[in-house]
Amino acid sequence: MGTPANVKPTSDGVSGLSFARFWDQYGTFFILAIIVAIFGSLSPEYFLTGNNLTQILVQSAVTVLIGMGEFFAILVAGIDLSVGAILALSGMVTAKLMLAGWDPVLAALVGGVLVGGLLGAINGCLVNWTGLHPFIITLGTNAIFRGVTLVISDANSVYGFSFEFVNFFAASVLGIPVPVIFALLIAGLLWFMTTHTRLGRNIYALGGNKSSAFYSGIDVKFHMLVVFVISGICAGLAGVVSTARLGAAEPLAGMGFETYAIASAIIGGTSFFGGKGRIFSVVIGGLIIGTINNGLNILQVQTYYQLVVMGGLIIAAVALDRLISK
């Protein structure tokens, strides 16, 4: 029998619902605040300096960009394991074009937007054509894209391109580093798309229930293609920023970055089961990743342990999402 209408929920139910709402709105900020407090107390003379906090923002820009792309793949209950390889190939193409005499802006647009979007479109077309889960498709294309990067670079770093390109991304505007501004501008565009356009609403509906979205008249294959194109463009733009910051295009750039991308999205509150998440929460998720890596480096913890922390955070975030959903 159902619960009578005049019976109020128990206090446990109310408290559980309140916690779920609180965590959904502010959980990511809460995690970031705790991490900053921990590292700040362990190394206040280094971690809490203005220069280091600025460095965290700059280092997080690439993670935020690939995390926002991964957000869309996860939003439709999929995944994109090729973001690190797309980052490397896009950065390599950008560097090669500049060495060939192309204008840095045009080279960055072609390398970041066109190449990144094309590689994302390949992922989307393969998912639609084969009917296989994106995990399988992007696992394969990750190897293909990485192999192409190694072939066109002959497995060597590419450097010696325009200093204007490097200096632009090393500059600041009103004290805010350009990579940070760049990442926030992309975040603003994606936020507007997800919250104020029919395309964004359809993507959320597709992630919530693919069958219902289909019977509601939503073109499932088209929106799946769009999702992976967005993921590819974000990874491509991350490759442009990474190449500028390093001053070189590395064939192994972005190796393992799919872990950071997934962690940024999941820790940022994106449901691994699709249909739930917010862009600016993913931005905070990327900051969390950058803060952890920076803090562990300051404490002279080996890089290998950072991967252990990332894996643990992903498991904890998915488990918490599942628990709160119940």
Side-chain angles (χ1 to χ4, degrees):
M1 294 178 63
T3 303
N6 61 342
V7 176
K8 296 182 179 180
T10 64
S11 58
D12 288 341
V14 172
S15 62
L17 183 60
S18 298
F19 173 75
R21 288 176 176 172
F22 168 81
W23 191 260
D24 183 56
Q25 294 291 329
Y26 308 109
T28 312
F29 295 94
F30 187 67
I31 293 172
L32 179 61
I34 290 176
I35 292 172
V36 170
I38 291 173
F39 286 123
S41 62
L42 293 175
S43 182
E45 67 277 17
Y46 295 110
F47 183 80
L48 292 178
T49 61
N51 287 337
N52 187 59
L53 294 177
T54 300
Q55 189 64 22
I56 290 174
L57 294 176
V58 174
Q59 291 172 346
S60 300
V62 169
T63 306
V64 167
L65 284 169
I66 61 173
M68 289 189 294
E70 193 71 55
F71 159 79
F72 283 91
I74 296 177
L75 193 62
V76 294
I79 200 166
D80 189 349
L81 299 179
S82 67
V83 290
I86 293 176
L87 180 154
L89 184 50
S90 296
M92 187 61 66
V93 170
T94 301
K96 288 278 190 179
L97 290 176
M98 284 190 288
L99 285 178
W102 284 47
D103 179 78
V105 175
L106 183 59
L109 287 174
V110 172
V113 177
L114 186 60
V115 172
L118 176 61
L119 298 178
I122 291 173
N123 283 334
C125 288
L126 286 174
V127 169
N128 286 333
W129 178 60
T130 64
L132 295 174
H133 192 278
F135 178 91
I136 302 298
I137 296 299
T138 57
L139 181 64
T141 56
N142 174 60
I144 294 171
F145 299 157
R146 182 70 64 181
V148 172
T149 306
L150 290 167
V151 168
I152 66 174
S153 65
D154 199 23
N156 292 316
S157 302
V158 175
Y159 50 88
F161 42 78
S162 172
F163 284 109
E164 294 178 359
F165 175 72
V166 176
N167 292 336
F168 174 77
F169 281 98
S172 298
V173 178
L174 300 176
I176 306 175
V178 168
V180 177
I181 296 174
F182 187 71
L184 289 176
L185 286 175
I186 300 300
L189 288 174
L190 294 178
W191 168 82
F192 180 84
M193 190 271 282
T194 54
T195 59
H196 290 77
T197 67
R198 177 178 295 179
L199 176 63
R201 291 191 294 271
N202 287 348
I203 291 173
Y204 273 99
L206 179 61
N209 191 310
K210 185 179 294 186
S211 297
S212 296
F214 174 78
Y215 287 114
S216 297
I218 295 175
D219 189 335
V220 173
K221 290 188 175 181
F222 169 76
H223 287 84
M224 287 293 289
L225 177 62
V226 168
V227 160
F228 282 99
V229 168
I230 293 173
S231 180
I233 291 175
C234 287
L237 293 175
V240 172
V241 174
S242 177
T243 300
R245 289 194 60 240
L246 294 174
E250 299 287 346
L252 297 181
M255 184 72 78
F257 273 32
E258 58 275 1
T259 302
Y260 292 155
I262 295 169
S264 298
I266 296 299
I267 295 171
T270 309
S271 175
F272 201 70
F273 309 101
K276 174 188 170 187
R278 290 189 295 269
I279 276 291
F280 283 109
S281 293
V282 178
V283 173
I284 302 301
L287 278 175
I288 290 173
I289 304 301
T291 303
I292 291 174
N293 288 340
N294 178 272
L296 292 177
N297 286 333
I298 287 177
L299 296 177
Q300 298 183 339
V301 176
Q302 290 185 349
T303 306
Y304 314 115
Y305 291 105
Q306 296 177 14
L307 292 175
V308 175
V309 174
M310 291 306 108
L313 284 175
I314 292 173
I315 294 173
V318 175
L320 182 60
D321 174 64
R322 187 76 173 191
L323 180 64
I324 290 176
S325 296
K326 290 182 178 180

